[in-house]
């Protein structure tokens, strides 16, 4: 819905039923329910809805709202008593969001399924039919755990019970397997892979572990507590290559690789070069991993800074040549 | 009469059609409803009405014309078809909705789907009980995030609607190599692979099923034809997953080539692609066979392994890997001027 007029109309048509259903609701509560701001709600009420009425436009033919202190009341708006049915895209978004929290390796629980069925039945017949068709023809990221179902099940159980685990893990940067005792805080699926967010015992901050690098796992007979401040959703935005990445690299991509990086890089991290190239400024926390990411983009790039990253790229390429000689 | 804003006009049109118990002829809208009472010609007002109906349809508000009763001809918004039925949510369901709101932006990837989620929750909140349940949300143990490429967000809505309604579309597409051209497509499905959206459908030009990356669509996606659709039937044998493969070397219709890869002794074999099949093992390492349709697409993956995976056959691919590594080594040669940290900070802003 690119048209801002339609966005405002959609918002206003949802605002009225909330007030009618909850007469006397506070402006802040209304803003919260409407996923809006206090200022936006007041603007919608006073500038848009107050202008709306039906012929012959006598005073009581216009929507009337009043603010008593901080409490909102509304009258003469019975025709807007129910919100417009969810459209197919809205219902799809809701389905994605609700199902996104299903436990590892499990289908969404019964309450999610019942809720989504209830929502579907509340929709208008046309939108319901569109939504059913759309749900079958939209495929999101693969929800598979690459390293096998038994690890997945034991991990899900450890997550639920807050049990310490011992992990045999192959680090991406050097390919060396290590045994680590971890406090598993949660699993995050992003960019096509599952990651475990976990604290290594003895370390001060949790970090990512990619599921497909787990070679083995044991659940230990010890428990832990998840810090109250941990928000799993914040970990879906953290750089995968590190956690305290203050420094940025500078890499120039040319040719087809420039298109790739423009399409795929984090917003705001790419500049256009004068010659049609693309300059990428990725965060650096682990140079070895970043060098591998650069090589995986395919051809036509040059590390402009730092020198150490350039050397890492050279070493990897030399290793490729040696292995193939 | 002054011309009022489009927003005010649309609000008034919806209000009058929802408030009326009977169909309203256009003659009772023209000159009566604010927004249709200015000095524009009758033809202009009619065109305005048609545009408004089309816009309202985007919000799932269908304005229908009814002629079932000769005494009551005119336009209606059928409340029972357009508005949301009343719902009662259990406490547990309200918690689920609250959780969906909390993780919504990351779960949907933001953009169009994120905004659509907010709109959905806003509509559902009318039936939610009073009280703050946010505090009752238990700690999450897993979360699936959709990153979604920003370039795709503009076209996702139009394509999703076209997929849902089986409507033929037209758009300008810039492939990774070659020039941009207009394509007509019967979109069978859309999907996301590693954060990027793709549409799969029958390409009218190439007369075969093709996959297009949404981020490479230039400009708007237009519907072909004026009808309501459906414009095509999706073949029963169509399976979306088959066309949304995750690796570049699996794409396309080239004859599959079997590549023999070797993981040298002592190196981890977990790094091999899921579809690689182990075939033998000896002192030199573990060998795998991988079916590949685009061998060139495998080269970046091999370079990124840094020698931990070796091509044993075919020789031509082995040679190409070496050539690619040598070319990149030359570009990233040692004696190049490297930016100072100050220059880097300045250019990174």
């Amino acid at each position: 819905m690119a048209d801002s007029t339609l966005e405002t109309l959609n918002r206003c048509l949802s605002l009225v039923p909330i007030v009618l259903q909850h007469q006397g609701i506070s402006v802040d509560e209304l803003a919260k329910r409407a996923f809006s701001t206090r200022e936006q709600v007041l603007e919608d009420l006073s500038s848009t809805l107050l202008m709306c009425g039906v012929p012959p436009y006598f005073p009581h033919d216009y929507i009337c709202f009043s603010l008593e202190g901080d409490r909102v009341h509304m009258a003469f708006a019975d025709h807007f008593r129910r919100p417009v049915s969810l459209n197919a895209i809205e219902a799809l978004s809701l389905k994605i969001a609700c199902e996104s929290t299903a436990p590892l390796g499990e289908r969404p629980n019964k309450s999610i399924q019942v809720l989504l069925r209830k929502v579907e039945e509340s929709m208008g017949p046309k939108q319901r039919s569109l939504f059913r068709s759309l749900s079958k023809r939209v495929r999101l990221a693969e929800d598979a755990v690459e390293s096998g179902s038994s690890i997945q099940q034991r991990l899900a159980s450890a997550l639920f019970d807050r049990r310490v685990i011992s992990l045999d893990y192959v680090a991406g940067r050097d390919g060396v397997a290590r045994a680590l005792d971890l406090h598993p805080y949660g699993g995050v699926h992003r960019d096509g892979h599952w990651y475990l967010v976990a604290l290594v015992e003895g370390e001060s901050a949790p970090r990512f572990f990619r599921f497909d690098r787990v070679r083995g796992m044991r659940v230990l007979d010890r428990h832990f507590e998840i810090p109250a401040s941990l928000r799993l959703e914040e970990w879906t935005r953290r750089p995968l290559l590190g956690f305290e990445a203050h420094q940025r690299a500078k890499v120039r991509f040319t040719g087809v690789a420039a298109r790739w990086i423009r399409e795929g890089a984090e917003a705001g991290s790419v500049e256009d070069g004068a010659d049609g190239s693309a300059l990428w400024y990725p965060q650096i926390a682990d140079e070895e991993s970043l060098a591998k990411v650069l090589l995986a983009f395919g051809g036509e790039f040059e590390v402009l800074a730092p020198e150490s990253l350039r050397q890492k790229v050279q070493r990897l390429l030399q290793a490729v040549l040696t292995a193939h000689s | 009469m002054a011309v009022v804003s489009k927003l005010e006009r649309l609000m008034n049109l919806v209000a009058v059609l929802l408030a009326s118990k009977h169909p309203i002829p256009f003659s009772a809208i023209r000159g009566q409803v604010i927004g249709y009472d200015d000095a524009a010609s009758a033809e202009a007002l009619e065109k305005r009405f048609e545009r408004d109906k089309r816009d309202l349809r985007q919000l799932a508000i269908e304005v229908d014309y009814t002629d079932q009763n000769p005494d009551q001809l005119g336009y209606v918004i059928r409340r029972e078809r357009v508005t949301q039925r009343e719902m009662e949510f259990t406490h547990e369901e309200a918690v689920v909705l609250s959780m969906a709101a909390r993780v919504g932006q990351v779960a949907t990837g933001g953009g169009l789907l994120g905004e659509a989620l907010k709109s959905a929750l806003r509509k559902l909140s009318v039936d939610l009980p009073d009280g703050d349940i946010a505090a009752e949300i238990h700690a999450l143990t897993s979360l699936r995030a959709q990153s979604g490429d920003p370039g795709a967000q503009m076209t996702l809505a139009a394509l999703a609607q076209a997929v849902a309604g089986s409507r033929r579309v037209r758009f300008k597409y810039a492939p990774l190599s070659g020039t941009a051209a207009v394509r007509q497509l019967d979109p069978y499905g859309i999907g996301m692979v590693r954060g990027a959206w793709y549409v799969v459908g029958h390409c009218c030009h190439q007369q075969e099923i093709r996959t297009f990356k949404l981020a490479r669509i230039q400009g708007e996606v237009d519907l072909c034809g004026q009808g309501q659709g459906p414009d095509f039937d999706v073949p029963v044998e169509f399976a979306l997953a088959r066309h949304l493969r995750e690796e570049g070397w699996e794409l396309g219709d080239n004859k599959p080539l079997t590549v023999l890869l070797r993981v040298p002794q002592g190196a981890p074999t977990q790094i091999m692609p899921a579809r690689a099949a182990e075939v033998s093992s000896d002192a030199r390492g573990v060998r795998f066979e991988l079916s590949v349709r685009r061998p060139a697409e495998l080269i970046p993956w091999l370079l990124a392994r840094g020698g931990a995976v070796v091509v044993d056959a075919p020789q031509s691919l082995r040679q190409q890997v070496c050539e690619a590594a040598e070319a990149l080594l030359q570009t990233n040669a040692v004696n190049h001027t490297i930016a100072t940290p100050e220059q880097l900070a300045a250019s990174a802003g």
Side-chain angles (χ1 to χ4, degrees):
Chain A
M1 205 193 306
D3 186 338
S4 66
T5 302
L6 294 186
E7 280 176 23
T8 310
L9 178 65
N10 197 35
R11 199 172 56 238
C12 287
L13 289 175
S14 306
L15 213 54
V16 180
I18 299 174
V19 180
L20 290 176
Q21 192 73 18
H22 303 275
Q23 293 280 6
I25 189 171
S26 72
V27 177
D28 287 335
E29 174 63 15
L30 180 57
K32 195 173 155 196
R33 279 181 178 255
F35 294 91
S36 190
T37 60
R38 182 185 170 85
E39 294 71 29
Q40 183 70 69
V41 161
L42 290 172
E43 166 82 12
D44 288 342
L45 289 172
S46 57
S47 299
T48 307
L49 289 167
L50 270 187
M51 308 298 285
C52 177
V54 295
Y57 298 108
F58 291 137
H60 63 271
D61 292 323
Y62 284 94
I63 292 176
C64 171
F65 98 92
S66 59
L67 261 180
E68 289 174 19
D70 197 41
R71 302 274 159 185
V72 185
H73 296 265
M74 196 171 274
F76 308 132
D78 267 8
H79 36 281
F80 289 141
R81 180 162 284 283
R82 294 297 302 163
V84 174
S85 162
L86 264 63
N87 64 35
I89 304 284
E90 290 168 345
L92 179 70
S93 306
L94 183 74
K95 183 173 187 286
I96 293 168
C98 288
E99 291 181 348
S100 72
T101 59
L104 274 178
E106 287 182 25
R107 293 175 63 78
N109 66 29
K110 201 175 169 191
S111 63
I112 292 177
Q113 290 177 37
V114 171
L115 168 70
L116 291 174
R117 203 157 47 237
K118 203 182 269 189
V119 169
E120 193 179 313
E121 283 163 6
S122 79
M123 294 167 70
K126 184 171 179 185
Q127 294 303 321
R128 185 164 58 233
S129 160
L130 286 175
F131 168 61
R132 284 177 181 162
S133 166
L134 195 57
S135 305
K136 287 180 201 154
R137 290 158 66 187
V138 172
R139 178 179 178 267
L140 294 171
E142 195 66 53
D143 192 22
V145 177
E146 300 89 337
S147 49
S149 62
S150 67
I151 286 179
Q152 176 184 341
Q153 283 163 6
R154 280 181 288 149
L155 191 51
S157 159
L159 282 169
F160 186 79
D161 295 337
R162 310 274 193 271
R163 296 268 294 272
V164 179
I165 57 172
S166 177
L167 212 63
D168 292 330
Y169 186 74
V170 179
R173 59 182 164 192
D174 54 14
V176 174
R178 293 178 178 85
L180 302 163
D181 285 357
L182 304 174
H183 297 184
Y185 290 165
V188 171
H189 187 264
R190 53 185 280 189
D191 298 336
H193 294 287
W194 272 105
Y195 295 86
L196 177 68
V197 176
L199 178 77
V200 179
E201 286 196 331
E203 292 188 1
S204 58
R207 50 185 163 114
F208 285 117
F209 296 88
R210 227 171 95 165
F211 275 28
D212 60 349
R213 295 190 184 135
V214 175
R215 300 173 85 176
M217 193 192 96
R218 280 184 305 125
V219 180
L220 306 180
D221 196 20
R222 286 188 279 131
H223 292 261
F224 64 90
E225 286 300 320
I226 295 180
S229 60
L230 187 106
R231 290 280 177 275
L232 208 52
E233 55 269 39
E234 289 169 7
W235 284 79
T236 63
R237 290 185 289 258
R238 293 207 180 193
L240 286 169
L241 302 182
F243 312 100
E244 300 299 332
H246 300 303
Q247 195 189 357
R248 283 184 182 266
K250 181 178 182 181
V251 187
R252 179 168 59 217
F253 286 84
T254 54
V256 171
R259 283 274 308 274
W260 276 110
I261 200 72
R262 284 193 185 98
E263 286 175 7
E266 171 198 359
S269 67
V270 180
E271 275 178 11
D272 287 335
D275 51 356
S277 63
L279 295 171
W280 186 35
Y281 299 91
Q283 291 187 339
I284 309 171
D286 175 352
E287 285 189 344
E288 181 86 10
S289 299
L290 181 56
K292 288 180 176 177
V293 167
L294 293 173
L295 290 165
F297 258 105
E300 299 174 76
F301 75 86
E302 180 184 6
V303 177
L304 299 178
E307 173 67 27
S308 50
L309 177 62
R310 199 176 166 96
Q311 286 170 358
K312 281 273 190 299
V313 168
Q314 289 163 8
R315 275 200 289 275
L316 284 169
L317 292 167
Q318 289 288 4
V320 171
L321 288 171
T322 305
H324 284 81
S325 62
Chain B
M1 286 286 178
V3 176
V4 299
S5 71
K6 178 180 172 184
L7 175 61
E8 190 179 336
R9 184 177 76 237
L10 288 171
M11 283 294 295
N12 283 319
L13 180 61
V14 175
V16 74
L17 289 169
L18 274 177
S20 174
K21 292 186 172 62
H22 308 291
I24 302 178
F26 185 63
S27 59
I29 294 171
R30 188 179 58 214
Q32 302 291 317
V33 175
I34 292 177
Y36 291 92
D37 57 346
D38 54 79
S41 67
E43 190 186 356
L45 288 174
E46 206 155 332
K47 280 186 180 167
R48 188 184 295 170
F49 182 59
E50 289 303 317
R51 278 198 307 273
D52 287 350
K53 282 198 298 177
R54 204 167 48 235
D55 283 344
L56 289 175
R57 202 175 296 134
Q58 284 190 48
L59 300 183
I61 303 172
E62 298 281 343
V63 178
D64 298 325
Y65 182 78
T66 176
D67 55 3
Q68 286 178 344
N69 183 344
D71 296 329
Q72 292 184 348
L73 303 177
Y75 293 93
V76 288
I77 291 178
R78 296 178 207 277
R79 194 183 290 264
E80 71 283 4
R81 292 192 191 175
V82 165
T83 58
Q84 183 179 292
R85 282 189 219 148
E86 283 190 41
M87 278 176 281
E88 275 185 30
F89 293 113
T90 64
H91 186 76
E92 203 177 356
E93 288 162 358
V95 171
V96 170
L97 287 173
S98 192
M99 194 115 91
R102 194 178 102 179
V103 302
Q105 285 303 303
V106 293
T108 60
L112 165 97
L113 288 175
E115 289 307 309
L117 174 68
K118 280 189 206 168
S119 183
L121 291 167
R122 195 183 300 135
K123 289 175 178 180
L124 297 177
S125 82
V126 66
D127 292 323
L128 278 176
D130 290 324
D132 187 7
I133 52 171
E136 296 177 41
I137 295 176
H138 53 81
L140 284 173
T141 57
S142 67
L143 178 59
R144 293 148 182 81
Q146 313 298 335
S147 49
D149 42 343
Q153 297 292 348
M154 297 298 286
T155 45
L156 183 59
L159 281 168
Q161 297 281 9
V163 166
S166 295
R167 301 297 312 277
R168 180 170 293 179
V169 290
R170 185 191 301 116
F171 52 82
K172 193 172 180 188
Y173 188 75
L176 204 51
S177 54
T179 51
V182 174
R183 310 290 182 107
Q184 276 195 26
L185 184 78
D186 292 342
Y188 291 168
I190 49 176
M192 189 190 270
V193 178
R194 295 199 177 155
W197 282 100
Y198 295 84
V199 58
V200 182
H202 183 261
C203 176
C204 301
H205 175 64
Q206 285 150 315
Q207 288 295 310
E208 60 186 4
I209 294 178
R210 307 286 294 195
T211 302
F212 298 91
K213 192 172 184 180
L214 266 61
R216 292 182 194 148
I217 292 177
Q218 297 181 339
E220 293 192 356
V221 173
D222 296 319
L223 291 178
C224 300
Q226 296 295 315
Q228 294 288 307
D231 299 331
F232 57 87
D233 291 319
V234 180
V236 284
E237 69 277 10
F238 174 74
L240 186 60
R242 215 178 291 156
H243 300 274
L244 289 176
R245 294 174 179 134
E246 297 203 352
E247 305 295 355
W249 59 76
E250 296 174 328
L251 297 172
D253 302 316
N254 297 342
K255 195 178 166 194
L257 169 78
T258 300
V259 173
L260 189 61
L261 300 171
R262 176 168 46 87
V263 177
Q265 195 61 262
T269 55
Q270 283 78 9
I271 56 176
M272 292 302 288
R275 290 188 180 88
E278 185 177 329
V279 289
S280 66
S281 174
D282 60 23
R284 295 189 66 213
V286 185
R287 286 181 182 77
F288 292 83
E289 278 185 353
L290 181 65
S291 182
V292 171
R293 289 178 190 272
R294 290 180 177 172
E297 298 283 341
L298 190 59
I299 296 171
W301 183 86
L302 287 162
L303 296 182
R305 305 283 86 74
V309 181
V310 183
V311 180
D312 272 356
Q315 183 60 32
S316 57
L317 181 60
R318 191 180 165 93
Q319 183 63 32
Q320 283 176 294
V321 171
C322 292
E323 285 167 4
E326 278 164 1
L328 269 176
L329 259 179
Q330 201 168 359
T331 312
N332 290 274
V334 183
N335 296 325
H336 188 279
T337 309
I338 295 285
T340 63
E342 292 74 24
Q343 287 170 328
L344 184 60
S347 41

